[in-house]
Each structure stands twice: as structure tokens, then as C-alpha cells.
Amino acid sequence: MKAYLAELFGTFWLVLGGCGAAVLASAFPDVGIGLLGVSLAFGLTVLTMAFAIGHISGCHLNPAVSVGLWVGGRFEGSKLLPYIVAQVIGGVLAGGVLYLIASGQAGFDVSAGFASNGYGEHSPGGYSFTAALICELVMTAMFLLVIMGATDARAPAGFAPIAIGLCLTLIHLISIPVTNTSVNPARSTGVAVFVGDWAVAQLWLFWLAPIVGGAVGALMYRLIGKTED
């Protein structure tokens, strides 16, 4: 239960920190943090939580990561569903807190996006469904490759949170214009449920592509990281 609660709190922090930066601070007058700041915010949430709860739950914070680690032989299948449930609950709770904060500003309009992920007319850069699918799949695959490599027993000890946090920052720097960057179904769900409408209608892609990508990335690492007998 401690591990499940750690995943809930950790995912809460990821969604509140990352999506909160996008909703509250990205375009704030005169001192808006922009794409660079939002990318860094997402990376910092993972980096800080990896140090805080990595020794308790492994700090997955993401259904695609949990599935990928299971495919990669690093996670027990019996814990997979409880982890995913905890992550989604944490994401939705964070979305609720963010909604309460953001709605305190005059003129707030949740239908404007609320940091939701989308494609087509709901992509920040107007990218197509196909572009969004490829982007989310590839980015999540590379994320799992880095996670599995950084946490390998042969990797330098103690540096995994830094590598993983910087990897997520880089992923956001690349893909925010395409989909607003998901690579995490819990992150996508946490804000989409408050937008409803198009955000919920397109949410399936941001479950399917990251989970498939996570599994692919884990298999890639199993191929290149296997030790010789």
C-alpha cells in the first residue's frame, strides 16, 4: 500500500507541477516561462520525485512506464493494475487542484485546453493524427530506453533520477508543439476529464501510443542491454 500511495502522490506532483506550469505560468505577462520552462517543469517533477519516492515505489508515475518495466522484466505483473489505478487517481486529483487554482482568475476558460493533449486542430502546432501517433510512440519508447538503461545495475549509481528527469525535459522540448506532450496516460487523463469534449474524445490516443511505445522501448533495451552468457 505504501508503494501505491507513493505512486499516487508522485503522479499528483508530476501533473500539478508540469501542467500547472503550462496553465499558470507559461504565458504569464512579462515573465512567462514558455515552452522551455514547461519542459523543465515536467523534468523537475520526475527528478525530485525519483529522489523522494524512488526507494519506495520505483517512481513510475506513468502507466506507460509501469507497462514498459513489466515488459522489460523489471516489474511484477501482479502490481501493474494497482500502480496504474494509483497513478490515474493522482493525476485526476492534481487536475482538480489545478482547476480550483486556475478558475480563481477572471476570464478562466477550461475549454481553451487546460494543458490537454491533442492532435489535428487541437495540436498546438496543428499536427496531424499520424504525426501525433508517431511522436508519442517514439518519444515514449526512447523514454523507456533511458529509464531502463539508467536504472541498470551496471549504470553509474545514484544518477538515474538526473538522466530520467533530463530525458523527460528533452522529450517536452521536442514534442510540445506536436501534441502538448503526453508520453503519460495519467498526465493526459488528469486534465482531460476537466475539459471534457474534444480532450476526452482524443484521450484514447494518449493511452494507446505511450503504452505501445513503452513496451517497444523496453524490448529495445532488452535487445541491447542483455549481458552475454
Side-chain angles (χ1 to χ4, degrees):
M1 184 56 67
K2 289 181 180 179
Y4 304 148
L5 287 173
E7 285 296 304
L8 188 154
F9 296 144
T11 310
F12 175 91
W13 183 232
L14 182 148
V15 174
L16 185 62
C19 294
V23 172
L24 304 175
S26 64
F28 188 76
D30 303 322
V31 292
I33 62 175
L35 183 152
L36 295 176
V38 173
S39 300
L40 184 59
F42 272 102
L44 287 173
T45 63
V46 170
L47 189 153
T48 53
M49 271 297 153
F51 281 115
I53 66 168
H55 54 287
I56 300 171
S57 69
C59 191
H60 299 185
L61 316 184
N62 182 340
V65 171
S66 296
V67 170
L69 292 176
W70 172 63
V71 171
R74 300 273 191 90
F75 187 58
E76 300 173 37
S78 61
K79 295 181 180 179
L80 186 57
L81 183 58
Y83 261 55
I84 291 173
V85 170
Q87 291 155 2
V88 172
I89 291 173
V92 173
L93 288 175
V97 170
L98 181 57
Y99 180 85
L100 291 174
I101 296 170
S103 60
Q105 183 184 48
F108 170 70
D109 180 13
V110 71
S111 66
F114 198 53
S116 290
N117 303 113
Y119 54 85
E121 63 178 312
H122 301 294
S123 157
Y127 286 84
S128 68
F129 166 82
T130 302
L133 173 65
I134 294 171
C135 184
E136 288 290 326
L137 196 154
V138 172
M139 294 299 159
T140 315
M142 296 308 298
F143 192 34
L144 261 293
L145 185 69
V146 170
I147 289 171
M148 292 194 66
T151 56
D152 194 304
R154 296 166 292 172
F159 291 97
I162 299 172
I164 295 167
L166 289 176
C167 180
L168 189 61
T169 299
L170 176 58
I171 287 170
H172 279 78
L173 288 172
I174 297 168
S175 60
I176 283 178
V178 184
T179 62
N180 226 11
T181 310
S182 171
V183 301
N184 184 339
R187 168 262 187 269
S188 299
T189 304
V191 288
V193 295
F194 292 93
V195 178
D197 194 27
W198 64 266
V200 171
Q202 294 190 353
L203 183 59
W204 68 271
L205 176 66
F206 302 104
W207 273 85
L208 177 64
I211 286 176
V212 173
V216 169
L219 292 173
M220 288 164 53
Y221 190 77
R222 291 188 75 163
L223 176 65
I224 66 172
K226 183 179 180 181
T227 56
E228 297 295 333
D229 295 329

